[in-house]
Amino acid sequence: MYIWKKEKQIWMFEGLDGAGKGTAIKNLLANLPYWLPLDNVLHRREPGGGKLGEMCRMALIQNARRGAYIGRLEEYLYFWTGRFDLWRDICDWFSLEGNESGNVFLDRSFASTYAYQIFARNAPSYLRETFREMVL
């Protein structure tokens, strides 16, 4: 018999676009009430997730649709702005009464940023070092 731990947990689902991260989370959350009440669960995604992060994400998407140039540094900073906003929201959510032992489900997190922005976008070396210091 599985017993759900009564502590804060953050579940991060990583993978390429179309790999099924969102579907896996959706299926898990659909069956989660068997183990845990859904009022104790927060589901977010990256990039975005928080209000400011969604604004940053939409700005990137709209500029890309218009063919506007977004440099690697600007894109990197947009994503980090959104990430800090998301983590602030998560911390605020955990601080609410009743969420002390909550569970957060994230569609992407740090590993995706490292794979996409640091390697695929060939970020400058100073960004790679900054990212490594922030994560480690």
Side-chain angles (χ1 to χ4, degrees):
M1 177 180 193
Y2 183 81
I3 299 175
W4 198 268
K5 294 180 180 179
K6 298 289 185 185
E7 59 189 45
K8 295 175 187 171
Q9 295 186 45
I10 299 175
W11 304 72
M12 298 176 191
F13 291 72
E14 300 285 356
L16 299 172
D17 287 343
K21 299 174 305 293
T23 301
I25 294 171
K26 181 180 174 183
N27 290 338
L28 180 61
L29 291 176
N31 292 293
L32 201 56
Y34 295 109
W35 300 305
L36 183 73
L38 282 179
D39 60 351
N40 206 24
V41 170
L42 181 66
H43 175 212
R44 292 288 185 265
R45 69 183 167 112
E46 284 196 20
K51 189 174 184 177
L52 180 59
E54 286 299 319
M55 290 170 51
C56 290
R57 183 175 185 274
M58 289 311 300
L60 286 171
I61 290 170
Q62 289 170 356
N63 281 327
R65 286 181 182 155
R66 289 193 318 246
Y69 173 76
I70 300 279
R72 292 177 297 176
L73 177 59
E74 291 85 357
E75 183 183 62
Y76 181 85
L77 294 173
Y78 264 120
F79 278 104
W80 276 101
T81 299
R83 171 163 290 125
F84 282 116
D85 180 56
L86 172 65
W87 284 95
R88 183 184 57 228
D89 286 351
I90 290 170
C91 291
D92 289 348
W93 183 80
F94 273 133
S95 69
L96 295 174
E97 187 174 338
N99 291 341
E100 299 87 357
S101 61
N103 290 270
V104 175
F105 291 83
L106 291 177
D107 182 337
R108 290 199 173 138
S109 190
F110 294 99
S112 293
T113 294
Y114 201 75
Y116 173 72
Q117 291 184 296
I118 303 299
F119 286 102
R121 298 281 287 153
N122 196 22
S125 60
Y126 67 89
L127 290 181
R128 285 193 292 264
E129 293 305 314
T130 301
F131 183 85
R132 183 176 307 140
E133 289 173 17
M134 291 173 74
V135 173
L136 299 177

